[in-house]
Amino acid sequence: MKKLLASTILAAGLYAAAGSAQAAECGDVSIAEMNWASAGVAAYVDKMILENGYGCNVTVVTGDTMPTFTSMNEKGEPDIAPELWVNAVRTPLDAAIKEGRLLQLAPLLSDGGVEGWWIPKFLSDAHPDIKTVQDALGHPELFPAPEDPSKAAITNCPSGWNCQISTANLYKALGAKGKGFELIDTGSAAGLDGSIANAFEKKTGWLGYYWAPTAILGKYEMVKLSFGVENDKAEWDRCTAVPDCADPKVNAYPTSDVFTVVTKKFAETNTVAVDYLKTRKWDNQTVGKVLAWMDENQGTNEDAAKHFLENYGDMWTTWVSADVAAKVKAGL
């Protein structure tokens, strides 16, 4: 009996030692929880996988694009920015990578951050000839203005958003006013979302700016229209994104590069976490569905991350080994 007890204690000790070794191998990890939904959920997905699957000790810290990038670049913390829209910091990020302070890992969003002008899918299905923005502008009767249905409307971003500038310039470049379209300012993010929800509720046409991944596009099926041209970055910088540009040309929105960025010091001392971060990515459609669930259930970023791990195993289990996946599932 004493031998059996000793063996049990020895086995328990070895198991605990193995667990401690795994935790030591991963160690402490700090992750930026950006202040928009998709990035916040991604932070908690990483937290749950790294903690439960790899034995890391994870701390989530509040973040935003520029403050987080600046802190990582200058102070070496936090360790990870799971969802960094790198176009906003491209030049200083390139310098930080070249000078050995930061690393850009795999893209988190496999199809990138997407912006553009959209119409409801039910309208696209009913009018399959509408493939481009120009096609839509040929049917003002399909897109009634909310205040005056005798006029057509293009819905813009709220004041103060960069997309308000680009949408206004494209409206001008397309000659939309001469085709009977007004440019509508919805006043707020809630107003913009509400205009889409209202269109689906009443089954009326809607044409305007939106982006992905978002809860709205996870909840309401929308179709992004082509502008009939490729993105011209030089023209975008010269005019499309410049307030009140005098001579805008038709241009397409760029696809935003969305990557995971880590500090070089962290990458060198924590290969366990970095190897995982090099493999995981998800698409806009999946993120949109998760965000729609979060919105409908008034969930937190942590709630949505758990929902993702519980319901999208076919996706995330491809990011990790089978034994890690089993540990993550056991920890939910």
Side-chain angles (χ1 to χ4, degrees):
M1 186 66 181
K2 288 182 179 179
K3 288 183 178 179
L4 179 60
L5 181 60
S7 298
T8 302
I9 293 171
L10 177 61
L14 291 173
Y15 182 81
S20 298
Q22 185 188 38
E25 185 181 359
C26 180
D28 295 332
V29 181
S30 56
I31 301 177
E33 178 186 6
M34 303 300 204
N35 62 359
W36 60 92
S38 59
V41 175
Y44 277 93
V45 168
D46 287 345
K47 181 180 190 292
M48 291 176 184
I49 289 178
L50 289 173
E51 281 187 339
N52 296 326
Y54 296 96
C56 307
N57 179 30
V58 180
T59 301
V60 174
V61 298
T62 301
D64 199 356
T65 300
M66 287 309 299
T68 294
F69 170 78
T70 301
S71 181
M72 292 177 73
N73 190 28
E74 296 179 358
K75 301 177 183 178
E77 57 186 33
D79 299 313
I80 305 167
E83 185 183 308
L84 191 68
W85 292 56
V86 300
N87 290 2
V89 293
R90 185 76 272 174
T91 300
L93 176 60
D94 286 344
I97 292 170
K98 184 177 180 181
E99 293 162 15
R101 292 187 299 277
L102 301 177
L103 288 179
Q104 178 178 294
L105 302 183
L108 175 65
L109 297 176
S110 58
D111 36 5
V114 178
E115 299 177 89
W117 290 15
W118 309 67
I119 62 174
K121 187 175 185 297
F122 65 77
L123 192 70
S124 176
D125 290 342
H127 300 274
D129 56 309
I130 299 179
K131 302 292 186 185
T132 67
V133 171
Q134 291 86 338
D135 293 337
L137 294 179
H139 293 278
E141 74 282 358
L142 296 178
F143 305 99
E147 300 299 327
D148 184 358
S150 68
K151 297 179 180 179
I154 295 169
T155 304
N156 201 350
C157 296
S159 298
W161 292 19
N162 289 341
C163 48
Q164 184 194 41
I165 297 167
S166 57
T167 301
N169 282 328
L170 290 169
Y171 171 83
K172 184 176 179 180
L174 289 158
K177 185 174 183 179
K179 296 172 182 176
F181 284 79
E182 294 184 342
L183 189 59
I184 305 296
D185 184 346
T186 53
S188 67
L192 178 58
D193 290 356
S195 70
I196 294 176
N198 187 57
F200 273 78
E201 182 181 336
K202 296 181 178 178
K203 285 292 185 287
T204 57
W206 187 96
L207 171 64
Y209 172 91
Y210 216 79
W211 74 100
T214 48
I216 283 289
L217 294 190
K219 185 174 182 179
Y220 301 110
E221 267 196 287
M222 303 281 280
V223 174
K224 186 165 77 75
L225 300 179
S226 166
F227 281 91
V229 296
E230 297 295 318
N231 172 253
D232 182 337
K233 185 180 185 305
E235 174 62 17
W236 188 272
D237 295 340
R238 181 196 76 83
C239 180
T240 315
V242 175
D244 303 315
C245 180
D247 59 339
K249 297 177 175 59
V250 178
N251 205 348
Y253 283 86
T255 298
S256 297
D257 294 326
V258 182
F259 283 84
T260 295
V261 173
V262 302
T263 64
K264 182 74 175 294
K265 180 181 178 182
F266 174 73
E268 290 174 344
T269 59
N270 203 323
T271 56
V272 171
V274 170
D275 285 348
Y276 154 71
L277 294 170
K278 286 179 178 177
T279 65
R280 67 97 171 85
K281 62 177 66 175
W282 53 3
D283 59 89
N284 283 318
Q285 184 177 21
T286 299
V287 179
K289 289 178 179 177
V290 172
L291 297 183
W293 177 90
M294 177 178 165
D295 184 60
E296 290 168 4
N297 292 275
Q298 299 183 326
T300 63
N301 290 334
E302 188 171 6
D303 294 334
K306 186 175 181 181
H307 171 78
F308 168 75
L309 293 172
E310 288 175 340
N311 293 277
Y312 293 84
D314 289 348
M315 176 177 288
W316 70 262
T317 54
T318 64
W319 306 341
V320 298
S321 65
D323 64 319
V324 168
K327 291 174 185 176
V328 173
K329 290 177 181 178
L332 293 176

Short mmCIF file of all heavy atoms in Angstrom, two decimals, residues 113-119 155-158 161 163 167 186 188-196 206-218 220 222 224 253:
data_model
loop_
_atom_site.label_atom_id
_atom_site.label_comp_id
_atom_site.label_asym_id
_atom_site.label_seq_id
_atom_site.Cartn_x
_atom_site.Cartn_y
_atom_site.Cartn_z
N GLY A 113 -8.89 43.43 -44.07
CA GLY A 113 -9.98 44.33 -43.70
C GLY A 113 -10.60 44.90 -44.96
O GLY A 113 -9.89 45.39 -45.84
N VAL A 114 -11.91 44.83 -45.08
CA VAL A 114 -12.59 45.18 -46.33
C VAL A 114 -13.47 46.41 -46.15
O VAL A 114 -14.26 46.50 -45.21
CB VAL A 114 -13.45 44.00 -46.83
CG1 VAL A 114 -14.20 44.36 -48.10
CG2 VAL A 114 -12.58 42.77 -47.06
N GLU A 115 -13.33 47.37 -47.07
CA GLU A 115 -14.18 48.55 -47.10
C GLU A 115 -14.81 48.67 -48.48
O GLU A 115 -14.25 48.19 -49.47
CB GLU A 115 -13.37 49.82 -46.84
CG GLU A 115 -12.68 49.89 -45.50
CD GLU A 115 -11.85 51.15 -45.38
OE1 GLU A 115 -12.38 52.18 -44.94
OE2 GLU A 115 -10.66 51.10 -45.75
N GLY A 116 -15.94 49.34 -48.55
CA GLY A 116 -16.55 49.56 -49.85
C GLY A 116 -17.97 50.04 -49.76
O GLY A 116 -18.45 50.41 -48.69
N TRP A 117 -18.65 50.05 -50.90
CA TRP A 117 -20.07 50.38 -50.98
C TRP A 117 -20.84 49.08 -51.18
O TRP A 117 -20.46 48.25 -52.02
CB TRP A 117 -20.34 51.35 -52.13
CG TRP A 117 -19.81 52.74 -51.90
CD1 TRP A 117 -18.91 53.14 -50.95
CD2 TRP A 117 -20.16 53.90 -52.65
NE1 TRP A 117 -18.67 54.49 -51.06
CE2 TRP A 117 -19.43 55.00 -52.10
CE3 TRP A 117 -20.99 54.15 -53.74
CZ2 TRP A 117 -19.51 56.29 -52.60
CZ3 TRP A 117 -21.08 55.45 -54.24
CH2 TRP A 117 -20.35 56.51 -53.66
N TRP A 118 -21.92 48.92 -50.44
CA TRP A 118 -22.65 47.66 -50.38
C TRP A 118 -24.12 47.87 -50.68
O TRP A 118 -24.66 48.96 -50.50
CB TRP A 118 -22.52 47.03 -48.99
CG TRP A 118 -21.12 46.92 -48.45
CD1 TRP A 118 -20.29 47.95 -48.08
CD2 TRP A 118 -20.38 45.72 -48.21
NE1 TRP A 118 -19.09 47.45 -47.62
CE2 TRP A 118 -19.12 46.10 -47.69
CE3 TRP A 118 -20.67 44.36 -48.36
CZ2 TRP A 118 -18.15 45.17 -47.32
CZ3 TRP A 118 -19.70 43.43 -48.00
CH2 TRP A 118 -18.45 43.84 -47.49
N ILE A 119 -24.77 46.78 -51.10
CA ILE A 119 -26.23 46.74 -51.20
C ILE A 119 -26.71 45.45 -50.53
O ILE A 119 -25.93 44.50 -50.39
CB ILE A 119 -26.73 46.78 -52.67
CG1 ILE A 119 -26.23 45.56 -53.45
CG2 ILE A 119 -26.30 48.08 -53.35
CD1 ILE A 119 -26.79 45.46 -54.87
N THR A 155 -25.64 56.32 -48.51
CA THR A 155 -25.42 56.52 -47.07
C THR A 155 -23.93 56.62 -46.77
O THR A 155 -23.15 55.73 -47.14
CB THR A 155 -26.06 55.38 -46.27
OG1 THR A 155 -27.44 55.29 -46.60
CG2 THR A 155 -25.92 55.62 -44.78
N ASN A 156 -23.56 57.69 -46.12
CA ASN A 156 -22.15 57.98 -45.81
C ASN A 156 -21.82 57.60 -44.37
O ASN A 156 -22.70 57.25 -43.58
CB ASN A 156 -21.88 59.47 -46.04
CG ASN A 156 -20.39 59.75 -46.26
OD1 ASN A 156 -19.55 58.90 -46.07
ND2 ASN A 156 -20.09 60.98 -46.67
N CYS A 157 -20.54 57.71 -44.03
CA CYS A 157 -20.07 57.52 -42.66
C CYS A 157 -20.43 58.74 -41.81
O CYS A 157 -20.67 59.82 -42.35
CB CYS A 157 -18.55 57.39 -42.64
SG CYS A 157 -17.93 55.97 -43.49
N PRO A 158 -20.43 58.59 -40.50
CA PRO A 158 -20.64 59.75 -39.63
C PRO A 158 -19.50 60.77 -39.75
O PRO A 158 -18.39 60.42 -40.16
CB PRO A 158 -20.65 59.12 -38.23
CG PRO A 158 -20.98 57.69 -38.44
CD PRO A 158 -20.37 57.33 -39.76
N TRP A 161 -15.20 60.54 -39.31
CA TRP A 161 -14.58 59.29 -39.74
C TRP A 161 -13.84 59.52 -41.06
O TRP A 161 -14.32 60.26 -41.93
CB TRP A 161 -15.64 58.20 -39.93
CG TRP A 161 -16.30 57.73 -38.68
CD1 TRP A 161 -16.34 58.36 -37.47
CD2 TRP A 161 -17.02 56.51 -38.52
NE1 TRP A 161 -17.05 57.62 -36.56
CE2 TRP A 161 -17.49 56.47 -37.17
CE3 TRP A 161 -17.34 55.45 -39.36
CZ2 TRP A 161 -18.24 55.40 -36.67
CZ3 TRP A 161 -18.09 54.39 -38.86
CH2 TRP A 161 -18.52 54.37 -37.53
N CYS A 163 -13.60 57.57 -43.49
CA CYS A 163 -14.38 57.06 -44.63
C CYS A 163 -15.42 58.07 -45.11
O CYS A 163 -15.90 57.97 -46.24
CB CYS A 163 -15.05 55.74 -44.28
SG CYS A 163 -15.93 55.74 -42.71
N THR A 167 -15.82 58.61 -49.15
CA THR A 167 -17.14 58.41 -49.73
C THR A 167 -17.64 59.68 -50.42
O THR A 167 -18.19 59.62 -51.52
CB THR A 167 -18.15 57.97 -48.65
OG1 THR A 167 -17.68 56.75 -48.06
CG2 THR A 167 -19.53 57.73 -49.24
N THR A 186 -25.47 59.81 -41.59
CA THR A 186 -26.32 59.16 -40.58
C THR A 186 -26.08 59.68 -39.17
O THR A 186 -26.81 59.33 -38.25
CB THR A 186 -26.10 57.64 -40.60
OG1 THR A 186 -24.70 57.37 -40.46
CG2 THR A 186 -26.60 57.04 -41.89
N SER A 188 -24.07 59.06 -36.72
CA SER A 188 -23.36 58.25 -35.72
C SER A 188 -23.22 56.82 -36.23
O SER A 188 -23.86 56.43 -37.20
CB SER A 188 -24.12 58.24 -34.39
OG SER A 188 -25.36 57.54 -34.54
N ALA A 189 -22.39 56.05 -35.54
CA ALA A 189 -22.23 54.64 -35.89
C ALA A 189 -23.57 53.91 -35.72
O ALA A 189 -23.95 53.07 -36.55
CB ALA A 189 -21.17 53.99 -35.01
N ALA A 190 -24.30 54.25 -34.65
CA ALA A 190 -25.60 53.62 -34.42
C ALA A 190 -26.59 53.99 -35.53
O ALA A 190 -27.39 53.16 -35.96
CB ALA A 190 -26.15 54.05 -33.06
N GLY A 191 -26.51 55.22 -36.01
CA GLY A 191 -27.38 55.64 -37.09
C GLY A 191 -27.08 54.91 -38.39
O GLY A 191 -28.00 54.54 -39.13
N LEU A 192 -25.79 54.71 -38.66
CA LEU A 192 -25.39 53.97 -39.85
C LEU A 192 -25.89 52.53 -39.78
O LEU A 192 -26.48 52.01 -40.73
CB LEU A 192 -23.86 54.01 -39.99
CG LEU A 192 -23.24 53.24 -41.15
CD1 LEU A 192 -23.78 53.72 -42.49
CD2 LEU A 192 -21.71 53.37 -41.11
N ASP A 193 -25.66 51.88 -38.64
CA ASP A 193 -26.13 50.50 -38.45
C ASP A 193 -27.65 50.43 -38.54
O ASP A 193 -28.21 49.51 -39.14
CB ASP A 193 -25.68 49.96 -37.09
CG ASP A 193 -24.17 49.73 -37.03
OD1 ASP A 193 -23.50 49.92 -38.05
OD2 ASP A 193 -23.68 49.38 -35.94
N GLY A 194 -28.31 51.41 -37.92
CA GLY A 194 -29.77 51.42 -37.93
C GLY A 194 -30.35 51.57 -39.32
O GLY A 194 -31.42 51.02 -39.62
N SER A 195 -29.66 52.31 -40.19
CA SER A 195 -30.17 52.49 -41.55
C SER A 195 -30.16 51.17 -42.31
O SER A 195 -31.06 50.89 -43.11
CB SER A 195 -29.34 53.55 -42.28
OG SER A 195 -28.03 53.10 -42.58
N ILE A 196 -29.15 50.33 -42.06
CA ILE A 196 -29.09 49.02 -42.70
C ILE A 196 -30.18 48.11 -42.13
O ILE A 196 -30.89 47.42 -42.87
CB ILE A 196 -27.70 48.39 -42.52
CG1 ILE A 196 -26.65 49.21 -43.28
CG2 ILE A 196 -27.69 46.94 -43.01
CD1 ILE A 196 -25.22 48.73 -43.07
N TRP A 206 -30.82 49.84 -50.21
CA TRP A 206 -29.84 50.60 -49.43
C TRP A 206 -28.53 50.56 -50.18
O TRP A 206 -28.10 49.49 -50.63
CB TRP A 206 -29.69 50.00 -48.04
CG TRP A 206 -28.83 50.78 -47.08
CD1 TRP A 206 -29.26 51.67 -46.15
CD2 TRP A 206 -27.40 50.74 -46.94
NE1 TRP A 206 -28.20 52.20 -45.45
CE2 TRP A 206 -27.04 51.64 -45.91
CE3 TRP A 206 -26.38 50.05 -47.59
CZ2 TRP A 206 -25.71 51.84 -45.52
CZ3 TRP A 206 -25.06 50.26 -47.21
CH2 TRP A 206 -24.74 51.15 -46.18
N LEU A 207 -27.88 51.69 -50.32
CA LEU A 207 -26.58 51.78 -50.97
C LEU A 207 -25.70 52.70 -50.14
O LEU A 207 -26.11 53.82 -49.80
CB LEU A 207 -26.72 52.35 -52.39
CG LEU A 207 -25.43 52.72 -53.14
CD1 LEU A 207 -24.57 51.48 -53.39
CD2 LEU A 207 -25.76 53.44 -54.45
N GLY A 208 -24.52 52.24 -49.76
CA GLY A 208 -23.66 53.10 -48.97
C GLY A 208 -22.39 52.42 -48.51
O GLY A 208 -22.10 51.27 -48.87
N TYR A 209 -21.65 53.14 -47.70
CA TYR A 209 -20.36 52.67 -47.19
C TYR A 209 -20.54 51.74 -45.99
O TYR A 209 -21.35 52.00 -45.11
CB TYR A 209 -19.48 53.85 -46.75
CG TYR A 209 -18.22 53.40 -46.05
CD1 TYR A 209 -17.05 53.17 -46.76
CD2 TYR A 209 -18.21 53.16 -44.67
CE1 TYR A 209 -15.90 52.72 -46.13
CE2 TYR A 209 -17.07 52.72 -44.03
CZ TYR A 209 -15.92 52.50 -44.76
OH TYR A 209 -14.80 52.04 -44.12
N TYR A 210 -19.74 50.67 -45.95
CA TYR A 210 -19.59 49.87 -44.75
C TYR A 210 -18.28 49.10 -44.84
O TYR A 210 -17.56 49.17 -45.85
CB TYR A 210 -20.79 48.94 -44.51
CG TYR A 210 -21.10 48.81 -43.04
CD1 TYR A 210 -21.79 49.80 -42.36
CD2 TYR A 210 -20.64 47.73 -42.30
CE1 TYR A 210 -22.04 49.73 -41.00
CE2 TYR A 210 -20.88 47.64 -40.93
CZ TYR A 210 -21.57 48.65 -40.30
OH TYR A 210 -21.81 48.58 -38.93
N TRP A 211 -17.96 48.36 -43.80
CA TRP A 211 -16.69 47.64 -43.76
C TRP A 211 -16.87 46.31 -43.07
O TRP A 211 -17.88 46.05 -42.40
CB TRP A 211 -15.63 48.49 -43.04
CG TRP A 211 -15.80 48.55 -41.55
CD1 TRP A 211 -15.13 47.84 -40.62
CD2 TRP A 211 -16.73 49.39 -40.83
NE1 TRP A 211 -15.57 48.17 -39.35
CE2 TRP A 211 -16.55 49.12 -39.45
CE3 TRP A 211 -17.69 50.33 -41.20
CZ2 TRP A 211 -17.29 49.75 -38.46
CZ3 TRP A 211 -18.43 50.97 -40.21
CH2 TRP A 211 -18.23 50.68 -38.87
N ALA A 212 -15.88 45.44 -43.22
CA ALA A 212 -15.89 44.12 -42.59
C ALA A 212 -14.50 43.83 -42.02
O ALA A 212 -13.50 44.33 -42.54
CB ALA A 212 -16.27 43.05 -43.62
N PRO A 213 -14.46 43.06 -40.90
CA PRO A 213 -15.54 42.31 -40.28
C PRO A 213 -16.31 43.13 -39.25
O PRO A 213 -15.71 43.87 -38.48
CB PRO A 213 -14.80 41.15 -39.59
CG PRO A 213 -13.47 41.73 -39.21
CD PRO A 213 -13.13 42.72 -40.30
N THR A 214 -17.62 42.98 -39.25
CA THR A 214 -18.48 43.70 -38.32
C THR A 214 -19.70 42.84 -37.99
O THR A 214 -20.07 41.94 -38.75
CB THR A 214 -18.99 45.01 -38.95
OG1 THR A 214 -19.47 44.73 -40.26
CG2 THR A 214 -17.90 46.06 -39.04
N ALA A 215 -20.34 43.18 -36.87
CA ALA A 215 -21.55 42.45 -36.47
C ALA A 215 -22.67 42.64 -37.47
O ALA A 215 -23.42 41.71 -37.78
CB ALA A 215 -21.99 42.93 -35.08
N ILE A 216 -22.81 43.85 -38.02
CA ILE A 216 -23.89 44.13 -38.96
C ILE A 216 -23.78 43.24 -40.19
O ILE A 216 -24.78 42.66 -40.64
CB ILE A 216 -23.88 45.63 -39.37
CG1 ILE A 216 -24.47 46.48 -38.25
CG2 ILE A 216 -24.63 45.85 -40.67
CD1 ILE A 216 -25.97 46.34 -38.07
N LEU A 217 -22.58 43.09 -40.73
CA LEU A 217 -22.43 42.25 -41.92
C LEU A 217 -22.46 40.76 -41.56
O LEU A 217 -22.61 39.92 -42.44
CB LEU A 217 -21.15 42.59 -42.67
CG LEU A 217 -21.13 44.00 -43.30
CD1 LEU A 217 -19.92 44.15 -44.23
CD2 LEU A 217 -22.41 44.28 -44.06
N GLY A 218 -22.32 40.46 -40.27
CA GLY A 218 -22.53 39.09 -39.83
C GLY A 218 -24.01 38.77 -39.68
O GLY A 218 -24.43 37.63 -39.84
N TYR A 220 -26.64 40.78 -41.28
CA TYR A 220 -27.37 41.07 -42.52
C TYR A 220 -26.48 40.79 -43.72
O TYR A 220 -25.37 41.32 -43.81
CB TYR A 220 -27.81 42.54 -42.54
CG TYR A 220 -28.71 42.93 -41.39
CD1 TYR A 220 -28.24 43.78 -40.39
CD2 TYR A 220 -30.02 42.46 -41.31
CE1 TYR A 220 -29.06 44.15 -39.32
CE2 TYR A 220 -30.83 42.82 -40.24
CZ TYR A 220 -30.36 43.66 -39.25
OH TYR A 220 -31.16 44.02 -38.21
N MET A 222 -24.97 41.28 -47.04
CA MET A 222 -24.76 42.40 -47.95
C MET A 222 -23.79 41.98 -49.06
O MET A 222 -22.99 41.06 -48.88
CB MET A 222 -24.19 43.60 -47.19
CG MET A 222 -25.02 44.09 -46.02
SD MET A 222 -26.42 45.10 -46.53
CE MET A 222 -25.58 46.67 -46.80
N LYS A 224 -20.85 43.50 -51.64
CA LYS A 224 -19.98 44.63 -51.94
C LYS A 224 -19.90 44.82 -53.45
O LYS A 224 -19.63 43.86 -54.19
CB LYS A 224 -18.59 44.42 -51.35
CG LYS A 224 -17.67 45.64 -51.50
CD LYS A 224 -16.46 45.52 -50.60
CE LYS A 224 -15.43 44.56 -51.15
NZ LYS A 224 -14.69 45.14 -52.29
N TYR A 253 -11.60 51.13 -52.89
CA TYR A 253 -11.01 51.11 -51.56
C TYR A 253 -9.90 50.07 -51.50
O TYR A 253 -10.02 48.98 -52.07
CB TYR A 253 -12.07 50.76 -50.51
CG TYR A 253 -13.00 51.91 -50.19
CD1 TYR A 253 -14.13 52.15 -50.96
CD2 TYR A 253 -12.73 52.75 -49.12
CE1 TYR A 253 -14.98 53.22 -50.67
CE2 TYR A 253 -13.57 53.82 -48.82
CZ TYR A 253 -14.69 54.05 -49.61
OH TYR A 253 -15.51 55.11 -49.32
#
